[in-house]
Amino acid sequence: MTHDPVQILRERFLAAMHAALGDDCPADADPIIAPSRNADLGDFQSNAAMPLGKRLGKKPREVAEAIVEHLDLAGIAEPADASSIAGPGFINVRLSPDALAGLLDNLDTPQLGIGTPAKAETIVVDLCGVNLAKQMHVGHLRATVIGDTLARIFERQGHKVFRQNHVGDWGLPIAMVTARIGDLAASGEIDLDALTLDDLDNAYRAAQKQCAPDRRGLDAVNRFDLGPKAKAELEEQVAGAEAALERAKQTLINLQSHDEATVALWQRIADVTMNECHAVCERLHATVPPDSAAGESTYRDELAGVVDDLIGQGLAVESDGALVIELKDVGIKEPLLIRKSDGGFLYATTDMAGIRRRVQKLGADRCVYAVDARQGLHFKQVFAGALKAGYAKKADGTDASLEHAAFGTVLGEDNRPFKTRSGENVKLADLLDEAVTRAEAQILEKNPGLAGDERKSVAEAVGISAIKYADLSSDRVRDYVFSFDRMLMFEGDTGPYLLYALVRIKSIFRKAQEQFGVTASDIASMRPAFALDAPEERALALTILQYSSVIDAVADALKPHLLCSYLRTLAEDFSRFFSQCPVLKAPDEATRNARLRLCDLAGRTLEDGLTTLGLVPVERM
Ligand code: ARG
């Protein structure tokens, strides 16, 4: 049984449109049902008369009148008449209190109106995307949090989800750091057993520097004749860098040919990085388990085959010694580089192999990539290339949908990319620590009664939820300013506000039990009839009814912020209801129980939404 008033109204309006217009009614006519823009006029409106009037060359108002004449709203809303038509032809509808209560009753199941999908899809979500030997920074926060939330949404809808952590764990830069770690271990400067990610991060940077010959410097020395000392120094640097680069290339060859000692070193680097990555993800309440790791290295033995296949298909052509796929015919002027002139493969080659594996091995209907917007061109090219090559072809012959859930940059309060004062990337783990410390200070101030371990665990939940909500609540393609002060406020558009709204609902039930011996599960089994007379009760009920369609909208548009703003509206509607409609002090037991049921349903919807978003609800705060 449906709980969705929009679906019911759509059917009723469609029938009326056909009855009113007969053969004139276009086959694809859409009733365009939307929440009413003015709550005084109704709960919903149909905006169909305007486009229909235009198409049929009639006055919209006349079209609206004809529709209203044939509109049967029995059992769902108050009958419509001429007074239901507003402006040029908007048709307003107000649900009858009984129908509204009935819909809410239909929704009141553990699933909260989210049914099983007509066709369960397999959806691959590319998330996190850390790089070996590098600390996770604020960019990985977005790739992890947005990716995980989208995955949770798809799972909540009943789809099958594969998370894929496309770890940057292969190629020359990785070989550089591997060679360097090997040297440091050989000279006793580091102990491989006690290796930390900080050691690796330092070695990574040192290796980059060590392998970069300063040819420009040497040119300048020669050109401006800066003296024998400078010349000797730069010559030594260039020679040293060239040698280091050669060694790194040899290390890469060793890795590629599975040389045992080199692979063991690489594996140690991978383990240190991934242990830290998984610890941070766990702390973030993001599900990125070890078996979701599918790094670039896992494709290494497929790349030559991919390139051969692309050559065989006549798609890869030579250009200045390199191999490229031309994409001009699909409107992309930059060709996709798949093999360098020195024979090396690229980031894009691996992503081509990735699409093939995701669609053809994992069975993806959709591949969704939670990756920085600055990689927009890369994904446009790779998607186009993969479609051409048939790598996105599913078993049924249709193409999987390839989607870049691109996100903007995290900015500091100075509106520039978020960095430390010395210009370094901010370590994600440090950010999480600071959010939790600040959350604890706030909790100490607001609720000194919360002590010891509970305060610690609540602070953890509040701090993490604050960071995540701040990230998820703005449209993901936009940049946002990272502000601890703002994200940790207990009022306003924040994670703590939503957690607190749920805490309040839970505390109503603690009091209900103390005063009347009634628990939430008593209410759930009694199922007292909803009484939705006050405007605040209606508003809350209407918001609850939208939950499943909001989840669908997030999944379609890949926009978690829609769920954020929905939950905020839900919390605000609840708060208005609670201040206008006494619950524990209701005039009689029937009203009290009816309102308690509305509290319970609002609370469950809020909790389901918060968990689906990936926030961490608490009992008290
Ligand atoms: N490691 C990459 C980076 O740090 C992100 C990987 C994104 N996923 C992908 N399939 N390309 O930029």
Side-chain angles (χ1 to χ4, degrees), residues 126 128-131 140 166-168 296 347 351 358 369 371 375 378-379:
D126 189 296
C128 190
V130 293
N131 299 307
H140 298 115
H166 193 84
V167 182
E296 295 180 19
Y347 185 51
D351 268 322
R358 290 167 188 198
Y369 293 77
V371 183
Q375 297 191 28
H378 165 77
F379 283 109

Side-chain angles (χ1 to χ4, degrees), residues 142-471:
R142 304 216 72 188
T144 302
V145 166
I146 294 171
D148 178 55
T149 298
L150 292 173
R152 284 168 186 264
I153 293 270
F154 300 139
E155 282 163 348
R156 183 65 184 81
Q157 288 181 306
H159 298 297
K160 181 169 176 57
V161 173
F162 287 103
R163 290 164 162 84
Q164 294 277 282
N165 186 357
H166 193 84
V167 182
D169 62 0
W170 204 245
L172 195 56
I174 302 297
M176 288 178 189
V177 65
T178 306
R180 177 150 184 112
I181 290 291
D183 289 345
L184 293 175
S187 67
E189 279 167 84
I190 55 162
D191 174 2
L192 282 183
D193 293 328
L195 200 61
T196 66
L197 190 50
D198 271 329
D199 295 336
L200 289 176
D201 204 277
N202 290 333
Y204 186 95
R205 273 182 268 196
Q208 288 285 319
K209 219 166 143 188
Q210 187 185 26
C211 293
D214 189 1
R215 291 216 182 73
R216 282 226 199 133
L218 186 58
D219 282 351
V221 168
N222 288 331
R223 202 157 355 116
F224 303 114
D225 198 11
L226 296 179
K229 190 155 176 281
K231 187 172 153 106
E233 266 174 22
L234 274 150
E235 276 172 352
E236 193 185 324
Q237 195 281 338
V238 168
E242 276 166 356
L245 197 58
E246 265 326 298
R247 283 208 47 222
K249 284 187 180 158
Q250 185 55 48
T251 304
L252 186 57
I253 293 170
N254 291 347
L255 281 173
Q256 269 156 348
S257 54
H258 305 271
D259 169 68
E260 219 172 289
T262 319
V263 170
L265 205 52
W266 173 87
Q267 189 62 54
R268 181 78 193 120
I269 297 173
D271 290 346
V272 171
T273 312
M274 297 314 287
N275 283 343
E276 172 100 11
C277 168
H278 293 133
V280 170
C281 289
E282 209 163 294
R283 197 167 177 206
L284 271 172
H285 285 256
T287 309
V288 186
D291 69 2
S292 64
E296 295 180 19
S297 65
T298 65
Y299 296 97
R300 65 185 162 209
D301 297 331
E302 297 172 28
L303 301 185
V306 164
V307 169
D308 285 345
D309 176 61
L310 294 170
I311 296 171
Q313 291 196 44
L315 284 173
V317 295
E318 222 187 278
S319 162
D320 290 332
L323 271 182
V324 303
I325 301 178
E326 283 296 345
L327 300 169
K328 286 204 195 77
D329 58 322
V330 289
I332 303 170
K333 60 177 188 299
E334 300 87 347
L336 174 63
L337 188 58
I338 55 158
R339 195 177 69 197
K340 292 187 286 186
S341 52
D342 67 5
F345 303 118
L346 294 111
Y347 185 51
T349 328
T350 309
D351 268 322
M352 293 283 280
I355 292 173
R356 194 174 67 170
R357 183 190 291 173
R358 290 167 188 198
V359 178
Q360 296 180 356
K361 286 239 168 65
L362 301 180
D365 296 291
R366 288 174 86 177
C367 296
V368 173
Y369 293 77
V371 183
D372 197 306
R374 286 168 288 194
Q375 297 191 28
L377 176 61
H378 165 77
F379 283 109
K380 244 172 92 179
Q381 292 180 301
V382 167
F383 292 169
L387 287 168
K388 273 191 176 214
Y391 293 169
K393 232 179 230 358
K394 302 192 280 182
D396 68 4
T398 61
D399 284 323
S401 153
L402 308 174
E403 303 163 57
H404 181 193
F407 54 76
T409 305
V410 182
L411 306 174
E413 310 235 19
D414 58 358
N415 267 315
R416 314 181 62 135
F418 194 45
K419 293 270 155 88
T420 62
R421 233 174 278 171
S422 56
E424 314 248 318
N425 278 327
V426 185
K427 229 169 103 172
L428 183 48
D430 292 346
L431 278 184
L432 303 187
D433 284 341
E434 182 160 357
V436 170
T437 308
R438 288 180 181 234
E440 191 173 354
Q442 288 232 50
I443 293 163
L444 195 58
E445 190 190 306
K446 294 219 157 69
N447 187 356
L450 214 57
D453 285 351
E454 188 177 7
R455 188 172 71 223
K456 287 261 176 273
S457 70
V458 169
E460 183 74 25
V462 171
I464 298 295
S465 298
I467 288 206
K468 292 180 85 169
Y469 186 85
D471 198 276

